[in-house]
Amino acid sequence: MWKEADNKLSRTIEFDDFVQAFGFMSQVALIAEKMDHHPNWSNVYNKVEIVLTTHDAGNTITDKDRKLAKAIDKLLS
């Protein structure tokens, strides 16, 4: 579930292992590149932490962030 705080959308997703986490990140990377909107994220073994904010809008949440969050959610359903 996405959390909205401090002008950021954030979510932590846990997978079974590193390969699944990395595969997910690869899928998100392709979507983000097409949208020209890239997440701030980190990965430690099976956990991926994602933070979405729009830098060129003053580091606040915009429709770009919400659209990317929805696209990420679709990968997980």
Side-chain angles (χ1 to χ4, degrees):
M1 176 175 286
W2 292 96
K3 295 179 186 176
E4 188 170 330
D6 300 321
N7 292 317
K8 298 174 186 170
L9 285 176
S10 61
R11 183 170 182 182
T12 300
I13 305 156
E14 189 170 331
F15 296 90
D16 290 337
D17 56 31
F18 176 75
V19 172
Q20 284 186 353
F22 192 85
F24 166 77
M25 292 178 75
S26 296
Q27 290 178 305
V28 172
L30 294 172
I31 292 167
E33 187 65 19
K34 286 180 185 176
M35 294 176 73
D36 193 29
H37 190 58
H38 305 91
N40 293 320
W41 58 5
S42 64
N43 165 243
V44 177
Y45 184 61
N46 68 331
K47 289 185 184 176
V48 177
E49 292 185 30
I50 304 170
V51 177
L52 303 176
T53 188
T54 303
H55 306 294
D56 56 355
N59 292 316
T60 190
I61 299 169
T62 67
D63 284 341
K64 287 182 175 184
D65 303 300
R66 296 189 193 288
K67 287 178 185 176
L68 182 53
K70 284 182 183 181
I72 291 168
D73 287 344
K74 283 183 182 180
L75 291 175
L76 297 167
S77 57

